[in-house]
Amino acid sequence: KIMIKKILVPYDFTNFADLAFENALEIAKKFEAKLYLLTVVGTDVDTSGMSFERAQEAHEEKEAKAKEDLIKVSQSKPDHGVDISVNIVHTSSTIDGILSFAANNGIDLIVMGSHGRSGLKKLVLGSVASGVVTKALCRVMIVKPKKE
C-alpha cells in the first residue's frame, strides 16, 4: 500500500508550478498528507557595488518577497483542508535545494512541473525536473500541461 504523508511542490511561480500545485493538492486531500511549498532563492541577486550589509539586505528582501508570494499561492485555493507549509531554501543550485529539502524533511512524493522558468519547450523535460527525477530518493511526479 502506498503511504504518502508529505508532499513537496517546488514552486517557481510559472503555470507549470501552478499545475503541479493543483495536482499535489488533490493527492494531499486523498492521502490526508501535508503539503510543502518550496521556493529556492538563488544567489543571483546582483550585489556588485553594494556594501556587505546592503547585499545582505537585498538577499533578505528577495527572500521576504518570495515568502510573501508563496503564502499568497498557499491561500489561492481556499477550503481544501490541506495543511500547507511555506518554505524558502537558499542555494545556487535549485536541484540540490529541492533534493536536500526532500531528504531533510522525509518527503514521500515530489510533484513538480515538467518545465520551469527557463522554459525551453524543445527539451523533453526541463533541466531542474530532469535533475530531480534522476537523483531523488523518493517518488517524483512530473505534471505537464494538456495538449491543446
Side-chain angles (χ1 to χ4, degrees), residues 1-74:
K1 188 176 181 229
I2 297 174
M3 289 297 289
I4 296 174
K5 288 289 158 217
K6 295 178 173 185
I7 302 172
L8 174 61
V9 180
Y11 198 88
D12 66 355
F13 305 99
T14 60
N15 333 7
F16 291 104
D18 288 335
L19 205 59
F21 177 52
E22 285 168 28
N23 278 263
L25 265 181
E26 290 298 311
I27 297 165
K29 266 187 248 179
K30 286 191 173 65
F31 284 92
E32 294 176 9
K34 179 168 177 160
L35 204 126
Y36 295 78
L37 272 178
L38 172 73
T39 288
V40 177
V41 176
T43 45
D44 58 346
V45 180
D46 181 15
T47 54
S48 52
M50 288 184 190
S51 67
F52 179 74
E53 287 76 18
R54 181 63 197 107
Q56 228 25 49
E57 259 173 44
H59 280 286
E60 283 162 18
E61 284 161 15
K62 186 174 180 184
E63 180 174 340
K65 173 85 174 93
K67 193 155 207 164
E68 191 182 304
D69 291 344
L70 262 193
I71 290 168
K72 277 187 198 130
V73 171
S74 75

Side-chain angles (χ1 to χ4, degrees), residues 20-146:
F21 177 52
E22 285 168 28
N23 278 263
L25 265 181
E26 290 298 311
I27 297 165
K29 266 187 248 179
K30 286 191 173 65
F31 284 92
E32 294 176 9
K34 179 168 177 160
L35 204 126
Y36 295 78
L37 272 178
L38 172 73
T39 288
V40 177
V41 176
T43 45
D44 58 346
V45 180
D46 181 15
T47 54
S48 52
M50 288 184 190
S51 67
F52 179 74
E53 287 76 18
R54 181 63 197 107
Q56 228 25 49
E57 259 173 44
H59 280 286
E60 283 162 18
E61 284 161 15
K62 186 174 180 184
E63 180 174 340
K65 173 85 174 93
K67 193 155 207 164
E68 191 182 304
D69 291 344
L70 262 193
I71 290 168
K72 277 187 198 130
V73 171
S74 75
Q75 296 167 345
S76 63
K77 311 246 184 285
D79 307 329
H80 46 64
V82 174
D83 182 8
I84 301 178
S85 95
V86 166
N87 307 272
I88 308 282
V89 168
H90 277 275
T91 174
S92 54
S93 163
T94 304
I95 296 169
D96 291 348
I98 293 167
L99 294 171
S100 63
F101 184 91
N104 295 338
N105 292 280
I107 297 297
D108 302 304
L109 173 68
I110 299 172
V111 180
M112 62 191 300
S114 55
H115 295 76
R117 243 179 281 178
S118 57
L120 299 172
K121 296 270 186 291
K122 62 184 179 288
L123 293 177
V124 177
L125 209 55
S127 56
V128 172
S130 180
V132 170
V133 165
T134 309
K135 298 177 183 155
L137 301 173
C138 63
R139 291 182 170 85
V140 180
M141 176 177 157
I142 300 294
V143 177
K144 58 181 212 164
K146 291 184 179 73

